[in-house]
């Protein structure tokens, strides 16, 4: 599934005009019009929702039933850490102007909701405070949205999964059986939209309800750290899947720590069919002289649909984002690319390996790229003998200048290969990771994703 996802993203990045178009991940097999559609990121500053959708899209396998996931609906707002770069997208489902920058996104998601396969829609949000039926205090009261299961009305007659209130209660019960703190308790919030909630009438879920589709919103509280918000969102989504008869396997443990790791580990972006790949765990803010091809559109695939790369509007650098986080700036150096080679032999601690470009190798003590006719090796940050070709040289961690690592821990370095038979065209890159090095800087990679920012506008 990961492979299929990679292919989908690769195709998307080739066909789409923008690296900020939303992604649709289809899992399982549609049958009998029983697909659950999960949507994250309708508002860009709600990471609990869009990270949960991204994890369901990439780290779950669906073994029965059909699940569609849009994890990054309002992607431009996500990378800008903004509720909406063109206003609130969740108020554009009655009318959206053709000139509105959100027009294409709103129109596309509407038709997805109306797709005959879709029978249940869950829209994920991070809301302020904690919803309670009665006022407890400033943060726990009926005007708050956090940690609630939202419905527009009690039921929808003659509609599959139309017993909205019953379903939302079942979901809240499942979450409440797994609370990390009694204060986090979930409640069902009925916005009674049709009775005249002018704002909610324009929302995505009410658009679905009006069109006779069962729809729910699930809110995690903005007062919780991101990974806990995601933990609660996943508890909700798993129950919605069970209700829709979807069977699945999850590839991590559903605990706060398991979710934290699933969000932060194994994040990468790879370019041009894996010719180059950057691991993005605790990445350095900027790396220079990154070999990019002349006259070629940038194609990439990434470990998750929230990771993308955008060229600066002014200037020549590229910015890599993972959701709300700006991970890295790439300063390019342009080369002709050669496609003749896709791997090279490397002696790693005394063992010769065939190392594929785009891969990462772990080194205990040293490595030594086996010399090959026509191939020139450049270990970024290694001070060699100035021949310009560093193949055949035994290289240890101490021989490389730490500032050239791609990560803040000083563990991972780039090894670039050039083809001298073709005027020094760029052939590929791999990474070496000195796995024994202890991190000297903070390696937690827990950059805040809009934590604890109070939301003024509801839902
Ligand atoms: Zn929201």
């Amino acid at each position: 599934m990961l492979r299929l996802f990679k292919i989908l993203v690769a195709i998307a990045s080739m066909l789409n005009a923008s690296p900020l178009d939303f992604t649709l991940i289809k899992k399982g097999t549609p049958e009998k019009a029983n697909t659950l559609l999960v949507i994250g990121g309708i508002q860009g500053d709600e990471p609990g929702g869009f990270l949960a959708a991204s994890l369901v899209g990439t780290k779950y396998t669906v073994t029965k039933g059909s699940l569609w996931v849009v994890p990054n609906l309002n992607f431009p707002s996500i990378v800008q850490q903004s509720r909406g770069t063109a206003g609130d997208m969740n108020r554009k489902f009655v009318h959206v102007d053709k000139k509105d920058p959100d027009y294409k996104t709103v129109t596309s998601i509407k038709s997805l909701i109306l797709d005959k396969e879709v029978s249940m829609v869950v829209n994920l949000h991070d809301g302020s405070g904690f919803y309670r039926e009665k006022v407890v205090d400033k943060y726990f009261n009926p005007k708050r949205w956090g940690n609630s299961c939202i419905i527009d009305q009690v039921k929808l007659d003659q509609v599959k999964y139309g017993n909205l209130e019953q379903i939302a209660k079942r979901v809240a019960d499942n979450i409440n059986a797994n609370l990390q703190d009694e204060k986090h308790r979930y409640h069902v919030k009925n916005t009674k939209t049709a009775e005249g909630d002018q704002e909610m009438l324009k929302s995505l879920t009410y658009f679905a309800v009006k069109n006779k589709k069962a729809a729910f919103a699930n809110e995690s509280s903005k007062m919780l750290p991101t990974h806990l918000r995601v933990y609660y969102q996943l508890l909700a989504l798993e129950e919605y899947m069970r209700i829709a008869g979807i069977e699945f396997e999850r590839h991590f443990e559903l605990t706060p720590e398991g979710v934290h790791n699933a969000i932060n580990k194994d994040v990468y972006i790879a370019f041009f069919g894996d010719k180059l790949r950057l691991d993005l765990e605790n990445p350095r803010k900027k790396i220079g002289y990154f070999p990019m091809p002349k006259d070629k559109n940038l194609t990439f695939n990434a470990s998750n649909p929230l990771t993308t790369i955008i060229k600066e509007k002014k200037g020549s650098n590229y910015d890599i984002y993972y959701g709300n986080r700006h991970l890295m700036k790439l300063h390019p150096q342009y080369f002709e690319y050669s496609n003749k080679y896709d791997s090279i032999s490397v002696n790693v601690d005394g063992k010769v390996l065939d190392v594929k470009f785009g891969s990462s190798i772990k080194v205990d003590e040293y490595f030594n790229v086996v010399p090959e006719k026509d191939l020139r090796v450049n270990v970024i940050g290694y001070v060699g003998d100035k021949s310009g070709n560093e193949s055949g040289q035994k290289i240890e961690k101490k021989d490389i200048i730490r500032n050239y690592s791609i990560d803040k821990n000083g563990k991972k370095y780039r090894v670039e290969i050039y083809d001298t038979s073709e005027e020094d065209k760029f052939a590929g890159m791999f990474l070496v990771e000195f796995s024994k090095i202890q991190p000297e800087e903070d390696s937690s990679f827990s950059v805040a994703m809009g934590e604890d920012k109070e939301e003024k506008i509801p839902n």
Side-chain angles (χ1 to χ4, degrees), residues 1-2 4-5 8 24-30 35-36 53-69 241 246-249 251:
M1 202 57 217
L2 189 63
L4 175 62
F5 165 69
L8 287 175
L24 168 62
I25 303 167
K26 295 185 171 182
K27 302 173 87 84
T29 327
T35 291
L36 167 60
S54 167
L55 290 186
V56 168
T58 55
K59 301 200 174 186
Y60 282 64
T61 304
V62 170
T63 51
K64 185 173 174 257
S66 168
L67 172 70
W68 292 355
V69 187
M241 284 196 264
I246 295 169
E247 290 172 17
F248 57 88
E249 286 161 21
H251 306 299

mmCIF file of all heavy atoms in Angstrom, residues 1-2 4-5 8 24-30 35-36 53-69 241 246-249 251:
data_model
loop_
_atom_site.group_PDB
_atom_site.id
_atom_site.type_symbol
_atom_site.label_atom_id
_atom_site.label_comp_id
_atom_site.label_asym_id
_atom_site.label_seq_id
_atom_site.Cartn_x
_atom_site.Cartn_y
_atom_site.Cartn_z
ATOM 1 N N MET A 1 0.830 -1.209 0.000
ATOM 2 C CA MET A 1 0.000 0.000 0.000
ATOM 3 C C MET A 1 0.861 1.254 0.000
ATOM 4 O O MET A 1 0.590 2.212 -0.695
ATOM 5 C CB MET A 1 -0.885 -0.015 1.249
ATOM 6 C CG MET A 1 -2.108 0.872 1.079
ATOM 7 S SD MET A 1 -3.081 0.377 -0.347
ATOM 8 C CE MET A 1 -3.580 1.990 -0.911
ATOM 9 N N LEU A 2 1.941 1.189 0.764
ATOM 10 C CA LEU A 2 2.850 2.328 0.803
ATOM 11 C C LEU A 2 3.375 2.583 -0.606
ATOM 12 O O LEU A 2 3.468 3.707 -1.062
ATOM 13 C CB LEU A 2 4.000 2.045 1.764
ATOM 14 C CG LEU A 2 4.886 3.247 2.052
ATOM 15 C CD1 LEU A 2 4.072 4.334 2.728
ATOM 16 C CD2 LEU A 2 6.058 2.854 2.920
ATOM 17 N N LEU A 4 1.904 1.803 -3.447
ATOM 18 C CA LEU A 4 0.843 2.384 -4.264
ATOM 19 C C LEU A 4 0.717 3.873 -3.952
ATOM 20 O O LEU A 4 0.593 4.707 -4.836
ATOM 21 C CB LEU A 4 -0.484 1.675 -3.991
ATOM 22 C CG LEU A 4 -1.694 2.299 -4.718
ATOM 23 C CD1 LEU A 4 -1.506 2.206 -6.223
ATOM 24 C CD2 LEU A 4 -2.979 1.622 -4.301
ATOM 25 N N PHE A 5 0.778 4.164 -2.651
ATOM 26 C CA PHE A 5 0.667 5.554 -2.239
ATOM 27 C C PHE A 5 1.785 6.383 -2.867
ATOM 28 O O PHE A 5 1.574 7.472 -3.368
ATOM 29 C CB PHE A 5 0.699 5.642 -0.714
ATOM 30 C CG PHE A 5 0.938 7.023 -0.227
ATOM 31 C CD1 PHE A 5 -0.038 7.981 -0.404
ATOM 32 C CD2 PHE A 5 2.145 7.374 0.351
ATOM 33 C CE1 PHE A 5 0.178 9.271 0.010
ATOM 34 C CE2 PHE A 5 2.367 8.653 0.767
ATOM 35 C CZ PHE A 5 1.381 9.601 0.595
ATOM 36 N N LEU A 8 1.020 7.004 -6.371
ATOM 37 C CA LEU A 8 -0.033 8.023 -6.515
ATOM 38 C C LEU A 8 0.537 9.419 -6.336
ATOM 39 O O LEU A 8 0.233 10.328 -7.099
ATOM 40 C CB LEU A 8 -1.132 7.799 -5.482
ATOM 41 C CG LEU A 8 -2.057 6.612 -5.737
ATOM 42 C CD1 LEU A 8 -3.021 6.447 -4.575
ATOM 43 C CD2 LEU A 8 -2.823 6.785 -7.042
ATOM 44 N N LEU A 24 -5.779 12.319 -2.627
ATOM 45 C CA LEU A 24 -6.827 11.352 -2.302
ATOM 46 C C LEU A 24 -6.182 9.970 -2.253
ATOM 47 O O LEU A 24 -5.604 9.523 -3.233
ATOM 48 C CB LEU A 24 -7.938 11.382 -3.357
ATOM 49 C CG LEU A 24 -8.954 10.231 -3.294
ATOM 50 C CD1 LEU A 24 -9.721 10.230 -1.973
ATOM 51 C CD2 LEU A 24 -9.912 10.286 -4.473
ATOM 52 N N ILE A 25 -6.256 9.338 -1.097
ATOM 53 C CA ILE A 25 -5.697 7.993 -0.941
ATOM 54 C C ILE A 25 -6.873 7.022 -0.823
ATOM 55 O O ILE A 25 -7.723 7.183 0.042
ATOM 56 C CB ILE A 25 -4.819 7.907 0.322
ATOM 57 C CG1 ILE A 25 -3.702 8.950 0.264
ATOM 58 C CG2 ILE A 25 -4.233 6.498 0.469
ATOM 59 C CD1 ILE A 25 -2.986 9.142 1.594
ATOM 60 N N LYS A 26 -6.912 6.044 -1.736
ATOM 61 C CA LYS A 26 -7.990 5.056 -1.699
ATOM 62 C C LYS A 26 -7.437 3.758 -1.165
ATOM 63 O O LYS A 26 -6.471 3.227 -1.693
ATOM 64 C CB LYS A 26 -8.569 4.857 -3.097
ATOM 65 C CG LYS A 26 -9.263 6.098 -3.642
ATOM 66 C CD LYS A 26 -9.920 5.807 -4.984
ATOM 67 C CE LYS A 26 -10.787 6.991 -5.409
ATOM 68 N NZ LYS A 26 -11.494 6.733 -6.683
ATOM 69 N N LYS A 27 -8.062 3.235 -0.122
ATOM 70 C CA LYS A 27 -7.598 1.995 0.485
ATOM 71 C C LYS A 27 -8.721 0.967 0.487
ATOM 72 O O LYS A 27 -9.887 1.332 0.628
ATOM 73 C CB LYS A 27 -7.133 2.258 1.921
ATOM 74 C CG LYS A 27 -6.017 3.287 1.994
ATOM 75 C CD LYS A 27 -5.673 3.660 3.413
ATOM 76 C CE LYS A 27 -4.657 2.708 4.000
ATOM 77 N NZ LYS A 27 -3.274 3.052 3.663
ATOM 78 N N GLY A 28 -8.347 -0.305 0.357
ATOM 79 C CA GLY A 28 -9.355 -1.365 0.332
ATOM 80 C C GLY A 28 -10.034 -1.425 -1.024
ATOM 81 O O GLY A 28 -9.528 -0.910 -2.016
ATOM 82 N N THR A 29 -11.227 -2.053 -1.038
ATOM 83 C CA THR A 29 -11.944 -2.248 -2.296
ATOM 84 C C THR A 29 -13.371 -1.744 -2.138
ATOM 85 O O THR A 29 -14.095 -2.223 -1.261
ATOM 86 C CB THR A 29 -12.011 -3.763 -2.639
ATOM 87 O OG1 THR A 29 -10.813 -4.380 -2.161
ATOM 88 C CG2 THR A 29 -12.167 -3.995 -4.111
ATOM 89 N N PRO A 30 -13.786 -0.802 -2.977
ATOM 90 C CA PRO A 30 -15.168 -0.322 -2.870
ATOM 91 C C PRO A 30 -16.150 -1.402 -3.297
ATOM 92 O O PRO A 30 -15.924 -2.089 -4.290
ATOM 93 C CB PRO A 30 -15.229 0.852 -3.859
ATOM 94 C CG PRO A 30 -13.831 1.113 -4.283
ATOM 95 C CD PRO A 30 -13.050 -0.133 -4.042
ATOM 96 N N THR A 35 -18.317 3.280 1.190
ATOM 97 C CA THR A 35 -16.993 3.860 1.432
ATOM 98 C C THR A 35 -17.067 4.929 2.511
ATOM 99 O O THR A 35 -17.967 5.769 2.515
ATOM 100 C CB THR A 35 -16.441 4.458 0.116
ATOM 101 O OG1 THR A 35 -16.158 3.381 -0.780
ATOM 102 C CG2 THR A 35 -15.171 5.267 0.351
ATOM 103 N N LEU A 36 -16.090 4.864 3.426
ATOM 104 C CA LEU A 36 -15.925 5.919 4.436
ATOM 105 C C LEU A 36 -14.919 6.934 3.905
ATOM 106 O O LEU A 36 -13.812 6.568 3.529
ATOM 107 C CB LEU A 36 -15.420 5.300 5.749
ATOM 108 C CG LEU A 36 -14.900 6.259 6.825
ATOM 109 C CD1 LEU A 36 -15.966 7.242 7.288
ATOM 110 C CD2 LEU A 36 -14.356 5.463 8.021
ATOM 111 N N ALA A 53 -5.385 11.986 9.807
ATOM 112 C CA ALA A 53 -5.794 11.525 8.471
ATOM 113 C C ALA A 53 -4.576 10.996 7.706
ATOM 114 O O ALA A 53 -4.646 9.962 7.036
ATOM 115 C CB ALA A 53 -6.460 12.666 7.705
ATOM 116 N N SER A 54 -3.449 11.688 7.842
ATOM 117 C CA SER A 54 -2.238 11.244 7.153
ATOM 118 C C SER A 54 -1.792 9.867 7.654
ATOM 119 O O SER A 54 -1.412 8.995 6.857
ATOM 120 C CB SER A 54 -1.128 12.281 7.375
ATOM 121 O OG SER A 54 0.114 11.771 6.983
ATOM 122 N N LEU A 55 -1.861 9.632 8.951
ATOM 123 C CA LEU A 55 -1.466 8.322 9.495
ATOM 124 C C LEU A 55 -2.416 7.226 9.023
ATOM 125 O O LEU A 55 -1.982 6.131 8.668
ATOM 126 C CB LEU A 55 -1.419 8.353 11.027
ATOM 127 C CG LEU A 55 -0.295 9.166 11.669
ATOM 128 C CD1 LEU A 55 -0.313 8.978 13.186
ATOM 129 C CD2 LEU A 55 1.072 8.771 11.126
ATOM 130 N N VAL A 56 -3.717 7.518 9.022
ATOM 131 C CA VAL A 56 -4.668 6.512 8.538
ATOM 132 C C VAL A 56 -4.398 6.212 7.055
ATOM 133 O O VAL A 56 -4.477 5.071 6.612
ATOM 134 C CB VAL A 56 -6.122 6.986 8.754
ATOM 135 C CG1 VAL A 56 -7.098 6.111 7.997
ATOM 136 C CG2 VAL A 56 -6.466 6.950 10.237
ATOM 137 N N GLY A 57 -4.007 7.256 6.325
ATOM 138 C CA GLY A 57 -3.732 7.076 4.891
ATOM 139 C C GLY A 57 -2.450 6.316 4.597
ATOM 140 O O GLY A 57 -2.331 5.687 3.552
ATOM 141 N N THR A 58 -1.476 6.369 5.523
ATOM 142 C CA THR A 58 -0.171 5.781 5.200
ATOM 143 C C THR A 58 0.244 4.627 6.108
ATOM 144 O O THR A 58 1.048 3.800 5.706
ATOM 145 C CB THR A 58 0.947 6.853 5.286
ATOM 146 O OG1 THR A 58 0.918 7.458 6.573
ATOM 147 C CG2 THR A 58 0.756 7.923 4.228
ATOM 148 N N LYS A 59 -0.262 4.572 7.321
ATOM 149 C CA LYS A 59 0.233 3.555 8.259
ATOM 150 C C LYS A 59 -0.849 2.577 8.711
ATOM 151 O O LYS A 59 -0.747 1.976 9.760
ATOM 152 C CB LYS A 59 0.919 4.223 9.452
ATOM 153 C CG LYS A 59 2.092 5.083 8.961
ATOM 154 C CD LYS A 59 3.114 5.397 10.000
ATOM 155 C CE LYS A 59 4.279 6.130 9.321
ATOM 156 N NZ LYS A 59 5.404 6.375 10.180
ATOM 157 N N TYR A 60 -1.900 2.477 7.894
ATOM 158 C CA TYR A 60 -2.927 1.464 8.104
ATOM 159 C C TYR A 60 -3.073 0.684 6.806
ATOM 160 O O TYR A 60 -2.925 1.245 5.723
ATOM 161 C CB TYR A 60 -4.293 2.102 8.417
ATOM 162 C CG TYR A 60 -4.485 2.604 9.833
ATOM 163 C CD1 TYR A 60 -3.709 3.640 10.332
ATOM 164 C CD2 TYR A 60 -5.483 2.060 10.647
ATOM 165 C CE1 TYR A 60 -3.913 4.122 11.623
ATOM 166 C CE2 TYR A 60 -5.689 2.537 11.940
ATOM 167 C CZ TYR A 60 -4.902 3.562 12.428
ATOM 168 O OH TYR A 60 -5.108 4.038 13.697
ATOM 169 N N THR A 61 -3.370 -0.602 6.936
ATOM 170 C CA THR A 61 -3.733 -1.408 5.784
ATOM 171 C C THR A 61 -5.204 -1.782 5.944
ATOM 172 O O THR A 61 -5.595 -2.232 7.028
ATOM 173 C CB THR A 61 -2.883 -2.696 5.725
ATOM 174 O OG1 THR A 61 -1.507 -2.320 5.715
ATOM 175 C CG2 THR A 61 -3.197 -3.503 4.471
ATOM 176 N N VAL A 62 -5.981 -1.575 4.899
ATOM 177 C CA VAL A 62 -7.394 -1.963 4.953
ATOM 178 C C VAL A 62 -7.530 -3.345 4.340
ATOM 179 O O VAL A 62 -7.161 -3.562 3.184
ATOM 180 C CB VAL A 62 -8.279 -0.929 4.225
ATOM 181 C CG1 VAL A 62 -9.699 -1.449 4.054
ATOM 182 C CG2 VAL A 62 -8.297 0.385 5.021
ATOM 183 N N THR A 63 -8.019 -4.304 5.130
ATOM 184 C CA THR A 63 -8.123 -5.683 4.651
ATOM 185 C C THR A 63 -9.535 -6.011 4.174
ATOM 186 O O THR A 63 -9.754 -6.994 3.482
ATOM 187 C CB THR A 63 -7.705 -6.669 5.762
ATOM 188 O OG1 THR A 63 -8.422 -6.345 6.967
ATOM 189 C CG2 THR A 63 -6.214 -6.560 6.053
ATOM 190 N N LYS A 64 -10.504 -5.195 4.581
ATOM 191 C CA LYS A 64 -11.885 -5.405 4.107
ATOM 192 C C LYS A 64 -12.602 -4.064 4.093
ATOM 193 O O LYS A 64 -12.409 -3.245 4.995
ATOM 194 C CB LYS A 64 -12.602 -6.370 5.053
ATOM 195 C CG LYS A 64 -14.006 -6.743 4.587
ATOM 196 C CD LYS A 64 -14.609 -7.832 5.462
ATOM 197 C CE LYS A 64 -16.054 -8.072 5.074
ATOM 198 N NZ LYS A 64 -17.007 -7.476 5.992
ATOM 199 N N GLY A 65 -13.424 -3.845 3.083
ATOM 200 C CA GLY A 65 -14.157 -2.589 2.999
ATOM 201 C C GLY A 65 -13.372 -1.529 2.254
ATOM 202 O O GLY A 65 -12.343 -1.824 1.631
ATOM 203 N N SER A 66 -13.852 -0.297 2.308
ATOM 204 C CA SER A 66 -13.284 0.759 1.485
ATOM 205 C C SER A 66 -13.162 2.062 2.271
ATOM 206 O O SER A 66 -14.121 2.529 2.867
ATOM 207 C CB SER A 66 -14.185 0.945 0.255
ATOM 208 O OG SER A 66 -13.852 2.117 -0.431
ATOM 209 N N LEU A 67 -11.954 2.596 2.253
ATOM 210 C CA LEU A 67 -11.661 3.829 2.969
ATOM 211 C C LEU A 67 -10.974 4.801 2.020
ATOM 212 O O LEU A 67 -9.993 4.441 1.366
ATOM 213 C CB LEU A 67 -10.725 3.509 4.150
ATOM 214 C CG LEU A 67 -10.150 4.688 4.929
ATOM 215 C CD1 LEU A 67 -11.227 5.394 5.740
ATOM 216 C CD2 LEU A 67 -9.034 4.205 5.863
ATOM 217 N N TRP A 68 -11.524 6.011 1.932
ATOM 218 C CA TRP A 68 -10.868 7.057 1.153
ATOM 219 C C TRP A 68 -10.420 8.151 2.126
ATOM 220 O O TRP A 68 -11.184 8.522 3.024
ATOM 221 C CB TRP A 68 -11.821 7.668 0.121
ATOM 222 C CG TRP A 68 -12.204 6.714 -0.979
ATOM 223 C CD1 TRP A 68 -11.734 5.451 -1.182
ATOM 224 C CD2 TRP A 68 -13.161 6.964 -2.035
ATOM 225 N NE1 TRP A 68 -12.330 4.881 -2.289
ATOM 226 C CE2 TRP A 68 -13.208 5.799 -2.833
ATOM 227 C CE3 TRP A 68 -13.965 8.045 -2.379
ATOM 228 C CZ2 TRP A 68 -14.022 5.685 -3.946
ATOM 229 C CZ3 TRP A 68 -14.789 7.940 -3.491
ATOM 230 C CH2 TRP A 68 -14.815 6.778 -4.275
ATOM 231 N N VAL A 69 -9.208 8.631 1.930
ATOM 232 C CA VAL A 69 -8.672 9.636 2.843
ATOM 233 C C VAL A 69 -8.144 10.844 2.068
ATOM 234 O O VAL A 69 -7.345 10.692 1.139
ATOM 235 C CB VAL A 69 -7.511 9.055 3.697
ATOM 236 C CG1 VAL A 69 -7.077 10.070 4.750
ATOM 237 C CG2 VAL A 69 -7.904 7.745 4.344
ATOM 238 N N MET A 241 -14.532 3.327 11.385
ATOM 239 C CA MET A 241 -14.239 2.249 10.439
ATOM 240 C C MET A 241 -14.998 0.983 10.822
ATOM 241 O O MET A 241 -15.602 0.328 9.974
ATOM 242 C CB MET A 241 -12.726 1.979 10.396
ATOM 243 C CG MET A 241 -11.948 3.031 9.616
ATOM 244 S SD MET A 241 -10.282 2.473 9.172
ATOM 245 C CE MET A 241 -9.307 3.161 10.469
ATOM 246 N N ILE A 246 -15.328 -1.749 8.077
ATOM 247 C CA ILE A 246 -13.982 -1.758 7.513
ATOM 248 C C ILE A 246 -13.045 -2.497 8.467
ATOM 249 O O ILE A 246 -13.021 -2.204 9.663
ATOM 250 C CB ILE A 246 -13.476 -0.313 7.276
ATOM 251 C CG1 ILE A 246 -14.347 0.360 6.216
ATOM 252 C CG2 ILE A 246 -12.015 -0.292 6.886
ATOM 253 C CD1 ILE A 246 -14.111 1.856 6.097
ATOM 254 N N GLU A 247 -12.305 -3.460 7.912
ATOM 255 C CA GLU A 247 -11.308 -4.152 8.726
ATOM 256 C C GLU A 247 -9.930 -3.652 8.344
ATOM 257 O O GLU A 247 -9.666 -3.376 7.171
ATOM 258 C CB GLU A 247 -11.426 -5.670 8.530
ATOM 259 C CG GLU A 247 -12.705 -6.208 9.159
ATOM 260 C CD GLU A 247 -12.975 -7.672 8.837
ATOM 261 O OE1 GLU A 247 -12.035 -8.384 8.398
ATOM 262 O OE2 GLU A 247 -14.138 -8.093 9.022
ATOM 263 N N PHE A 248 -9.059 -3.535 9.348
ATOM 264 C CA PHE A 248 -7.773 -2.872 9.085
ATOM 265 C C PHE A 248 -6.682 -3.406 9.995
ATOM 266 O O PHE A 248 -6.949 -4.014 11.026
ATOM 267 C CB PHE A 248 -7.917 -1.359 9.315
ATOM 268 C CG PHE A 248 -8.406 -1.003 10.695
ATOM 269 C CD1 PHE A 248 -7.510 -0.821 11.744
ATOM 270 C CD2 PHE A 248 -9.763 -0.880 10.952
ATOM 271 C CE1 PHE A 248 -7.957 -0.508 13.025
ATOM 272 C CE2 PHE A 248 -10.220 -0.576 12.238
ATOM 273 C CZ PHE A 248 -9.322 -0.391 13.273
ATOM 274 N N GLU A 249 -5.427 -3.140 9.561
ATOM 275 C CA GLU A 249 -4.269 -3.377 10.425
ATOM 276 C C GLU A 249 -3.563 -2.053 10.590
ATOM 277 O O GLU A 249 -3.378 -1.324 9.620
ATOM 278 C CB GLU A 249 -3.313 -4.383 9.763
ATOM 279 C CG GLU A 249 -3.811 -5.806 9.788
ATOM 280 C CD GLU A 249 -3.107 -6.680 8.751
ATOM 281 O OE1 GLU A 249 -1.996 -6.310 8.304
ATOM 282 O OE2 GLU A 249 -3.691 -7.708 8.382
ATOM 283 N N HIS A 251 -0.046 -0.141 11.713
ATOM 284 C CA HIS A 251 1.368 -0.517 11.770
ATOM 285 C C HIS A 251 2.144 0.208 12.863
ATOM 286 O O HIS A 251 3.329 0.471 12.720
ATOM 287 C CB HIS A 251 2.007 -0.310 10.394
ATOM 288 C CG HIS A 251 1.269 -1.032 9.301
ATOM 289 N ND1 HIS A 251 1.130 -2.403 9.296
ATOM 290 C CD2 HIS A 251 0.563 -0.587 8.238
ATOM 291 C CE1 HIS A 251 0.397 -2.765 8.260
ATOM 292 N NE2 HIS A 251 0.032 -1.675 7.602
#
